[in-house]
Amino acid sequence: MLTIAALRWGQPYASMETDDLSHFATGEPVARMSRTNGGLVQRDLRKASQARNALRAIPIDDLIARVAKAGELYLRGTLPMGDGTQTPEEFVRAQSATTGLPERLARANMQKNGFVLTEMRQILTSLTRGLDLNVLTQGHGIERGVPISYQAQTPALGAVLPSNSPGVHTLWLPVVPLQLGLMLKPGSQEPWTPYRIAEAFFAAGIPREAIGIYPGAHDVGAAILAGCGRSLMFGGQAAVEQHRGNPRIQVHGAGFSKILIGDDVVDRWESFLDVLVESVIANGGRSCINASGIWASRHTREIAKAIAERLAAIRPLPPDHPDALLAAFTVPGAAASIAKAIDGDAALPGVTDMSAAHRDGSRHVTLGRANYLLPTVLHCDSHESAAAQREYMFPFVSVVHCEQAKMADAIGPTLVCTVLSDDERFRQQLLDSTHIDRLNFGPVATTALNWLQPHEGNLVEFLFRPRAFQQAAVAV
């Protein structure tokens, strides 16, 4: 069993209090984590400027090259992990063991993170819209003959990280080459990715004092959010509501991503079935970019039936099985609670559980000690049903009947919206909709990301403030 210390700005710190991570299927211990507290975080925040100073001493161009090297090490190297080392395959098995994620999905998410690290130069060019990156180091410069200035809003980005989907770590990876430090609280079940990336950074020449990793309870996350000038927060809808409107915190919660099928193409919905299914099941349905709603003005019951038939073939499999797609629920009682909530929605007027015909008994099933939920498709006769706006961390979707003219106003907050329609008026309505973050026109799965575009808000705009700047020679 590995023993993993906290990293106080790169220096290992073994605390008196620890937490054990266990294998979701066997209960065997996998690792023992040091547990920090909010007071320790507050003390270490006083040194956050040292992280920025250490990174500013290295040209951004050099940092980008080191990050690319770190990407190769992350994907292929044997790296330190706590009091031991870890190969890529050992990393995959450990991540699967504590999160319930099938190993094939752990490998896929590893590739996502590795891609962002190795392609960092292109990604920063896109995020900054071609800005001379030296402007961020100096704080000012000239662009097209006009003086410009950008001011960093924090010496280090804080991040309260999740356990459900390792792919979201791509969001904070560009921070180090932007010469800002990182203060991370890892997910309670998924410390593996931030620790492995940190060790890859260190091995590639990133200063150790640039990164802190602080495992612990809620007080650690609260201290990071309160003390860092800018933070990323991953959580449920309650967390989104708690921090809504706080310009210092970018909250990533439920996505409520959707596919809208226009009246001009809905009569040939079968031709889009592969895109619909892929949007629901990719990454085991655990991502905020998975489609949780498919809306159309007609054929919705047939669409729901066809998706349910496709998803019926998906069953729980051991995590090392090459075809495993469903992730286990590792929090005690979570699967049973979600199953009960869905049963309640399915009993509402106008709501039908289209998956019920394809299973014997409950959608909540066990495989040994592990708890799973079988893929579920609900059909809603009306967009006004409460069941039309649900999202869960497994392959779940509501197929919703709604007139096209009402969709733009009725869909509500939507992280990713795929629009299957060539109707220019309908498209313009959705371009103008302030409910939608990412927008896809055509048969593009909601889970198909372009890494050269912001996933959910532009990180550079979040971290740096543009301001007016003038300069004149001082008379001697």
Side-chain angles (χ1 to χ4, degrees):
M1 181 174 69
L2 292 170
T3 299
I4 303 175
L7 291 181
R8 300 182 64 183
W9 296 122
Q11 297 306 309
Y13 172 78
S15 62
M16 296 293 292
E17 295 182 313
T18 60
D19 293 301
D20 287 349
L21 297 180
S22 300
H23 195 293
F24 78 94
T26 67
E28 296 177 356
V30 177
R32 178 160 291 166
M33 298 288 305
S34 285
R35 186 199 306 165
T36 62
N37 57 57
L40 186 73
V41 169
Q42 291 172 351
R43 288 195 294 275
D44 285 6
L45 277 165
R46 300 169 189 167
K47 299 180 180 180
S49 60
Q50 296 179 17
R52 175 141 169 82
N53 292 340
L55 291 167
R56 289 179 87 176
I58 304 170
I60 288 181
D61 197 58
D62 289 352
L63 287 174
I64 292 172
R66 296 183 193 189
V67 165
K69 180 181 178 182
E72 294 296 330
L73 292 168
Y74 168 75
L75 288 172
R76 300 176 180 87
T78 297
L79 295 170
M81 180 60 71
D83 60 354
T85 60
Q86 200 173 58
T87 67
E89 275 305 298
E90 288 170 338
F91 166 79
V92 165
R93 289 195 294 271
Q95 186 179 82
S96 173
T98 60
T99 64
L101 197 69
E103 291 181 10
R104 63 177 286 209
L105 298 185
R107 291 188 189 92
N109 281 295
M110 193 178 187
Q111 291 298 317
K112 293 177 188 176
N113 291 321
F115 175 84
V116 170
L117 290 169
T118 56
E119 299 297 325
M120 187 60 70
R121 192 176 301 278
Q122 290 189 66
I123 288 169
L124 288 182
T125 297
S126 177
L127 289 175
T128 61
R129 299 178 177 90
L131 178 73
D132 179 357
L133 296 176
N134 290 321
V135 171
L136 300 180
T137 301
Q138 299 165 2
H140 65 92
I142 301 292
E143 186 177 53
R144 295 189 294 273
V146 178
I148 58 174
S149 177
Y150 288 87
Q151 180 189 50
Q153 298 300 285
T154 182
L157 174 76
V160 180
L161 301 174
S163 291
N164 64 301
S165 182
V168 302
H169 296 295
T170 55
L171 296 176
W172 54 264
L173 296 181
V175 171
V176 164
L178 292 173
Q179 299 178 312
L180 299 175
L182 285 167
M183 178 171 266
L184 308 175
K185 177 191 178 298
S188 59
Q189 297 163 322
E190 210 282 285
W192 309 105
T193 301
Y195 271 96
R196 184 171 178 83
I197 289 173
E199 292 295 349
F201 278 159
F202 300 152
I206 300 299
R208 295 191 68 91
E209 59 265 39
I211 301 172
I213 303 181
Y214 297 82
H218 295 301
D219 63 317
V220 174
I224 288 174
L225 297 179
C228 291
R230 290 289 186 271
S231 295
L232 303 182
M233 165 71 181
F234 296 84
Q237 196 60 27
V240 172
E241 296 301 328
Q242 180 183 356
H243 300 291
R244 186 185 299 278
N246 187 337
R248 298 170 57 254
I249 302 174
Q250 190 180 91
V251 185
H252 298 264
F256 300 106
S257 297
K258 299 177 182 71
I259 296 176
L260 310 183
I261 308 177
D263 290 349
D264 58 324
V265 302
V266 71
D267 291 334
R268 52 187 180 91
W269 62 266
E270 295 97 333
S271 62
F272 304 116
L273 187 57
D274 287 346
V275 171
L276 304 183
V277 171
E278 176 65 18
S279 297
V280 175
I281 67 172
N283 200 39
R286 290 168 71 89
S287 302
C288 54
I289 57 176
N290 283 109
S292 57
I294 296 171
W295 293 41
S297 64
R298 55 185 182 269
H299 304 304
T300 50
R301 190 169 289 275
E302 294 95 323
I303 294 169
K305 180 181 178 183
I307 296 173
E309 289 174 352
R310 285 276 197 99
L311 301 190
I314 301 172
R315 287 291 188 269
L317 293 170
D320 59 350
H321 194 287
D323 296 326
L325 184 62
L326 293 181
F329 284 81
T330 57
V331 176
S337 177
I338 293 171
K340 183 177 180 181
I342 296 172
D343 288 342
D345 281 341
L348 293 173
V351 179
T352 305
D353 183 352
M354 305 298 289
S355 299
H358 302 286
R359 63 174 188 264
D360 295 324
S362 174
R363 77 191 80 252
H364 176 203
V365 298
T366 59
L367 186 65
R369 293 168 49 99
N371 289 268
Y372 295 87
L373 292 175
L374 297 178
T376 297
V377 181
L378 299 186
H379 178 265
C380 300
D381 288 342
S382 169
H383 67 274
E384 295 180 347
S385 171
Q389 296 283 1
R390 299 294 193 220
E391 179 166 301
Y392 300 104
M393 288 196 305
F394 77 108
F396 170 91
V397 65
S398 297
V399 181
V400 180
H401 176 269
C402 180
E403 299 302 317
Q404 178 179 296
K406 297 179 180 179
M407 287 184 187
D409 292 328
I411 57 174
T414 302
L415 176 58
V416 185
C417 183
T418 286
V419 182
L420 301 176
S421 175
D422 290 323
D423 183 331
E424 289 300 326
R425 183 177 179 182
F426 184 40
R427 286 185 168 195
Q428 190 61 54
Q429 283 182 319
L430 298 166
L431 282 166
D432 294 340
S433 173
T434 57
H435 294 313
I436 300 169
D437 197 330
R438 294 186 73 100
L439 184 60
N440 302 323
F441 283 163
V444 179
T446 60
T447 52
L449 294 181
N450 180 347
W451 296 109
L452 300 184
Q453 294 186 5
H455 166 67
E456 191 174 354
N458 188 306
L459 183 67
V460 173
E461 293 173 359
F462 180 58
L463 295 175
F464 293 87
R465 179 174 69 95
R467 61 178 177 181
F469 178 82
Q470 297 182 86
Q471 182 172 255
V474 179
V476 178

